[in-house]
């Protein structure tokens, strides 16, 4: 064995086994991470000096990728007064507690939640609701990463609470933000959870079931002094709620209740030619589907919705209706969908979701050319039978089989590297044996099948930049990052803040080799501070990055 340091912090070993039929191992190590290559002794001994050096360089290149230094580049306070639901989880009909605390129906998070942080040029755009309980205004802040200045716009709309009940917070009703790279318009979708003319039942949202705001062209890069509310377009339709109404009842300016009702979870992304797209879930938990649209900058409008899957699947020959919990993302040059299915079957072993499902489109806007992970065209589009794109069943990795004994909720995400490695993570709880299993299914580029392992510590969300996979979250209230090589189950901790503020929750966007981590500081009350941290992954701004966002 020969062992020589290549640098003060990187070591390389070339291992020549005594037996002739054993392979030669070349391994580079740094900070507990390693990258290795193997070849036969016969091949290695026939190599000339330069070929051996080239083999070493390949190995060193791999370890340099794994061990690139991750650093905190900037931290900035966005506000001291963002809305947070600091009360307790309550049921329908609960009266106002009159104590100042903000009770909630689903969860306590509403600011720094959802698709609420987007970098654009030298700016970062962030959305939030103003606290406390009696304020609730929609807010948009633009941070200039070069000058450190903040410009904030306050919108007239206030969070309407759960089913229109103002004193009960609704964590689904996040504020999504996006900027069109083509014309510099700013777009907001917000404060929605499956509303229509008769939901809530009192009809109070009959003219307010869809909430969309947009700016004039070029507003994204105006000077701070001109970054003001009047750069957003008022609703002057017959359904306008007054002179200060900046909400629009559709994306096109034409009311269409069938298209724009019962929508939840807004998210934006851009494709490779700069076209802005959005998607939402239409319907409900066990009978819902994704719909998506593209922004037509030339006409300053949006295309009609395209359905990824049908709702009311039982009308299309399926035994049950079904809904989906996951994400649509534009990653590695393609529009892709990954989800877990919630079947309207109350008698099987699943209390909530089941399965890993995945598909992608070769069309830049996703209007057709949808395929399975194997590259086979979908038999029907929009999807009717989710099993046609099923990757695997994590529910079979536990023993429980009785009615509602397997719970699959949370801890699900997926991503794809620039090379084409597909990664899917999930969490399965066996309620019979009180056992929770973290699952990681991955398919290296070029492979035919997925590899599934339970030897995985778990992750709520995963991200990609270049050919690497990242787990970003909060540990002990501070940001941490784990990094793995795409197409493997090998992860290593590369960053964990050991001092500074502690945070309650946050949402992440990765672009241009940087993590934009938008977080709420651990404080008290219904009005709490928000911070943005920009963390450099050390891979260079030219590296491909995921065009997606997720919460932690």
């Amino acid at each position: 064995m020969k062992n020589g340091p290549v640098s003060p912090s990187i070591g390389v070993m070339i291992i020549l086994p005594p037996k002739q039929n054993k392979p030669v191992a070349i391994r580079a190590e740094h900070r507990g991470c390693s990258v290795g290559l193997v070849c036969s002794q016969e091949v290695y001994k026939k190599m000339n000096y330069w070929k051996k050096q080239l083999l070493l360089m390949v190995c060193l290149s791999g370890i340099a990728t794994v061990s690139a230094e991750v650093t905190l580049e900037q931290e900035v306070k966005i506000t001291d007064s963002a809305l947070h639901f600091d009360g307790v989880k309550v049921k329908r009909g609960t009266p106002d507690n009159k104590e100042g605390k903000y009770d909630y129906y689903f969860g306590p998070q509403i600011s720094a939640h959802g698709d609420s942080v987007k970098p654009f040029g030298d700016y970062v755009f962030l959305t939030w609701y103003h606290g406390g309980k009696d304020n609730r205004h929609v807010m948009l802040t633009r941070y200039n990463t070069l000058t450190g200045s903040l410009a904030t716009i306050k919108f007239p709309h206030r969070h309407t609470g759960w089913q229109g009940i103002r004193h009960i917070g609704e964590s689904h009703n996040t504020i999504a933000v996006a900027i069109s790279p083509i014309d510099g318009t700013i777009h907001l979708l917000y404060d929605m959870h499956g509303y229509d003319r008769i939901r809530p039942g009192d009809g109070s949202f009959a003219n307010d079931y869809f909430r969309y705001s947009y700016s004039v062209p070029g507003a994204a890069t105006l000077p701070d002094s001109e970054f003001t509310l009047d750069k957003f377009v008022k609703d002057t339709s017959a359904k306008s709620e007054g002179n200060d109404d900046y909400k629009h009842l559709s994306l096109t300016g034409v009311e269409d209740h069938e298209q724009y009702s019962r929508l939840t979870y807004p998210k934006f992304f851009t494709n490779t030619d700069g076209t802005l797209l959005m998607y939402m879930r239409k319907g409900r938990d066990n009978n819902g589907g994704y719909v998506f649209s593209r922004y037509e900058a030339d006409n300053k409008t949006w295309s009609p919705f395209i359905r990824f899957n049908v709702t009311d699947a039982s009308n299309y020959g399926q035994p049950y209706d079904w809904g989906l919990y996951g994400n649509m993302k534009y990653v590695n040059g393609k529009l892709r969908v990954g989800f877990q299915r919630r079947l309207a079957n109350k008698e099987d072993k699943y209390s909530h979701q089941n399965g890993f499902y995945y598909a992608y489109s070769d069309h830049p806007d996703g209007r057709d050319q949808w395929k399975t992970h194997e590259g086979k065209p979908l038999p029907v589009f929009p999807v009717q039978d989710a099993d046609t794109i099923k990757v695997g069943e994590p529910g079979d990795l536990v023993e429980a089989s009785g009615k509602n004994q397997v719970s699959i909720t949370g801890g699900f995400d997926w991503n794809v590297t620039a090379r084409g490695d597909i990664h899917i993570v999930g969490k399965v709880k066996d309620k019979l044996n009180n056992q929770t299993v973290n699952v990681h299914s991955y398919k290296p580029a070029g492979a035919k099948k997925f590899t599934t392992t339970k030897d995985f510590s778990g992750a709520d969300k995963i991200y990609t930049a270049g050919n690497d996979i990242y787990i970003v979250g909060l540990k002990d209230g501070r940001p941490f990052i784990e990094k793995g090589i795409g197409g493997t189950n090998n992860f290593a901790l590369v960053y964990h803040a050991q001092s500074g503020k502690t945070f309650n929750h946050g949402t992440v966007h990765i672009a241009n080799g940087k993590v934009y981590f938008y977080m709420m500081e651990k404080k008290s009350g219904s009005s709490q501070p928000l911070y943005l941290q920009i963390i450099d992954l050390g891979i260079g701004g030219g590296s491909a990055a995921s065009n997606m966002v997720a919460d932690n």
Side-chain angles (χ1 to χ4, degrees), residues 189-229:
L189 288 164
Y190 52 93
D191 212 12
M192 291 179 275
H193 186 191
Y195 303 139
D196 61 21
R197 288 173 180 161
I198 57 172
R199 187 175 188 266
D202 62 1
S204 57
F205 292 170
N207 296 321
D208 195 25
Y209 51 85
F210 186 80
R211 294 156 179 173
Y212 167 58
S213 295
Y214 65 98
S215 76
V216 298
T221 55
L222 288 171
D224 286 357
S225 60
E226 299 177 34
F227 189 74
T228 50
L229 180 61

Side-chain angles (χ1 to χ4, degrees), residues 185-305:
T185 49
I186 306 167
H187 302 260
L188 302 173
L189 288 164
Y190 52 93
D191 212 12
M192 291 179 275
H193 186 191
Y195 303 139
D196 61 21
R197 288 173 180 161
I198 57 172
R199 187 175 188 266
D202 62 1
S204 57
F205 292 170
N207 296 321
D208 195 25
Y209 51 85
F210 186 80
R211 294 156 179 173
Y212 167 58
S213 295
Y214 65 98
S215 76
V216 298
T221 55
L222 288 171
D224 286 357
S225 60
E226 299 177 34
F227 189 74
T228 50
L229 180 61
D230 60 358
K231 301 306 184 296
F232 280 78
V233 179
K234 291 184 178 181
D235 178 19
T236 57
S237 72
K239 298 297 177 69
S240 173
E241 296 181 337
N243 191 46
D244 63 348
D245 186 5
Y246 292 85
K247 294 177 294 181
H248 300 264
L249 206 50
S250 74
L251 294 171
T252 63
V254 178
E255 184 179 7
D256 187 337
H257 180 262
E258 176 58 31
Q259 287 272 317
Y260 291 98
S261 59
R262 300 188 302 123
L263 293 168
T264 313
Y265 305 123
K267 286 191 173 74
F268 292 100
F269 41 84
T270 54
N271 68 11
T272 50
D273 66 10
T275 299
L276 181 64
L277 298 101
M278 59 76 67
Y279 86 97
M280 297 183 74
R281 186 192 74 184
K282 187 174 182 67
R284 53 167 299 164
D285 56 352
N286 59 11
N287 188 14
Y290 289 155
V291 294
F292 57 100
S293 172
R294 70 184 184 280
Y295 176 60
E296 299 174 345
D298 290 344
N299 301 320
K300 303 295 180 290
T301 189
W302 291 78
S303 68
F305 279 133

Side-chain angles (χ1 to χ4, degrees), residues 11-28:
V12 173
M13 291 187 295
I14 302 174
I15 303 172
L16 294 169
K19 294 184 179 181
Q20 294 294 319
N21 61 345
K22 295 293 184 180
V24 176
I26 304 172
R27 187 171 75 240

